[in-house]
Amino acid sequence: MKKIPLVLTIFCSLSIFSQDISLSKVTQVLSTLASDEMNGREIGTPENDSAAVYIAKQFKENNLDFCVGESYLVPFQYKGKVAYNVCGIQKGKSEKTLAFTAHFDHITSTKIKGDHIYNGADDNASGVTTVVGLGEYFKAKNSEFSLLYIAFNGEEKGMKGSKAIADLQNLQSKYQKITALFNFEMMATVSQFGPNAVYMTGDEFSDVDEIFNAKAVNNLKINADPYLGQGLFYRSDNVSFVKKNIIAHSISTVDMTTAEHYHQPNDDITVVNFKNLTQIINNFGKTIEKLTPENFSPKYTDQVNLK
């Protein structure tokens, strides 16, 4: 038998066990979802269906199991049509579960001249890319927690998709095992707290951020919500699970006081800081690796409205 050089052995070992998602993969996923061909991904359109199928393909590549049935596509009714959420799960050492979610729909194009497509790169291709990226990060790992991944549809029309899947009877037993749900919403820009930093809506309602930050790696930090007056905690898909008494917060980087691209045609890949997003995804994954059912068991305070 030929001896394998030590340097090659070390390189191969690092390649096998390194799970960092690459900058190129983050760029590929986000750019595909925010492309002109997706035409804004508005629910009820063929492009929205195409986005769902694309996300399902990413879940398959990440070796996720189906959440229910024999497909990652989980149908629900929207205005007499079938629309889809996308759901996958990875079993861990424990049945205790962490959930990573984001909505993939946006708003469509207009008939104005010039740039007329609402690409939704930040809102919310960036959040879906974070979910897909975490799936790739944990692809070959046996996590302490089981990991649930959901891409919601119809958020822009009143959180239709998250409400539908949150109420799906066949998934209630899985939801009962969720320790915390992280809903990623607009992750494309550097936050007002600087690179490698996010904020959490409703941070005053639980101790998720304190416990997470105590284990955070590479100076990643979840900061308090700086936009309390805007009630962001109750304005995104996390609230569909809050009502089930599940610890569920939205994680974001967007500066709500200066985001001129919000719901505008200029929300395209030019607003995306791909390097910062890639860093956050990888450091989030590394931090999750340090969490166990024993050291991460957050609780709500009595200030949260669960109704």
Side-chain angles (χ1 to χ4, degrees):
M1 179 183 295
K2 293 183 178 179
K3 292 184 178 180
I4 301 175
L6 179 59
V7 174
L8 181 59
T9 302
I10 294 173
F11 176 79
C12 291
S13 298
L14 290 174
S15 298
I16 292 170
F17 292 106
S18 176
Q19 301 300 320
D20 282 15
I21 186 171
S22 67
L23 175 64
S24 61
K25 180 65 174 183
V26 170
T27 303
Q28 172 197 330
V29 173
L30 199 156
S31 298
T32 299
L33 289 170
S35 65
D36 284 353
E37 287 74 21
M38 288 292 184
N39 199 38
R41 311 182 304 277
E42 184 174 31
I43 187 173
T45 66
E47 293 84 3
N48 179 273
D49 291 343
S50 295
V53 170
Y54 177 75
I55 296 164
K57 179 183 176 184
Q58 302 306 307
F59 283 10
K60 181 178 181 180
E61 290 180 359
N62 289 339
N63 296 332
L64 301 183
D65 295 326
F66 302 137
C67 292
V68 61
E70 297 182 355
S71 175
Y72 299 111
L73 301 176
V74 183
F76 68 99
Q77 289 293 313
Y78 176 74
K79 291 188 174 182
K81 296 182 178 180
V82 176
Y84 299 96
N85 291 303
V86 192
C87 189
I89 192 166
Q90 180 181 357
K91 295 179 181 178
K93 296 177 184 177
S94 169
E95 289 190 350
K96 294 286 187 179
T97 302
L98 298 180
F100 307 128
T101 67
H103 77 89
F104 69 88
D105 67 296
H106 192 55
I107 50 182
T108 190
S109 58
T110 68
K111 294 182 179 179
I112 62 174
K113 294 182 179 179
D115 186 4
H116 64 285
I117 296 176
Y118 291 77
N119 299 90
D122 194 5
D123 186 16
N124 188 32
S126 65
V128 177
T129 301
T130 304
V131 172
V132 170
L134 287 169
E136 179 163 320
Y137 182 91
F138 285 103
K139 179 178 180 178
K141 290 184 177 293
N142 186 14
S143 172
E144 295 291 334
F145 285 93
S146 291
L147 304 174
L148 178 66
Y149 302 84
I150 310 176
F152 301 125
N153 204 344
E155 189 269 353
E156 301 288 359
K157 302 299 183 182
M159 298 177 279
K160 301 297 186 184
S162 63
K163 289 176 181 176
I165 200 167
D167 290 337
L168 195 64
Q169 194 59 41
N170 289 347
L171 288 176
Q172 298 308 306
S173 61
K174 288 183 173 62
Y175 296 155
Q176 291 171 9
K177 298 167 185 171
I178 293 177
T179 295
L181 182 150
F182 299 91
N183 182 58
F184 297 100
E185 179 78 61
M186 300 184 74
M187 299 286 294
T189 56
V190 175
S191 77
Q192 69 174 65
F193 302 101
N196 197 33
V198 301
Y199 64 88
M200 184 179 86
T201 65
D203 62 279
E204 72 275 23
F205 297 144
S206 83
D207 55 356
V208 165
D209 51 344
E210 289 94 335
I211 304 174
F212 185 97
N213 286 338
K215 297 291 184 181
V217 303
N218 299 332
N219 297 314
L220 174 67
K221 185 176 181 181
I222 295 179
N223 293 276
D225 181 359
Y227 315 109
L228 291 178
Q230 299 195 35
L232 299 176
F233 180 75
Y234 296 108
R235 287 172 52 189
S236 193
D237 289 304
N238 62 290
V239 75
S240 297
F241 291 83
V242 171
K243 292 178 179 179
K244 291 183 172 295
N245 200 18
I246 294 170
I247 305 287
H249 295 268
S250 288
I251 303 293
S252 184
T253 63
V254 67
D255 187 335
M256 294 299 292
T257 64
T258 63
E260 296 181 355
H261 61 280
Y262 178 62
H263 282 188
Q264 297 299 320
N266 67 331
D267 183 8
D268 54 34
I269 61 171
T270 61
V271 308
V272 182
N273 188 313
F274 288 101
K275 182 178 178 181
N276 186 63
L277 178 57
T278 303
Q279 181 183 35
I280 288 174
I281 294 171
N282 285 317
N283 287 336
F284 209 95
K286 288 178 171 65
T287 302
I288 292 296
E289 281 188 87
K290 297 175 67 176
L291 303 183
T292 69
E294 291 72 36
N295 68 27
F296 187 70
S297 184
K299 300 289 188 296
Y300 274 133
T301 69
D302 57 7
Q303 299 180 55
V304 67
N305 182 3
L306 300 173
K307 297 181 181 179

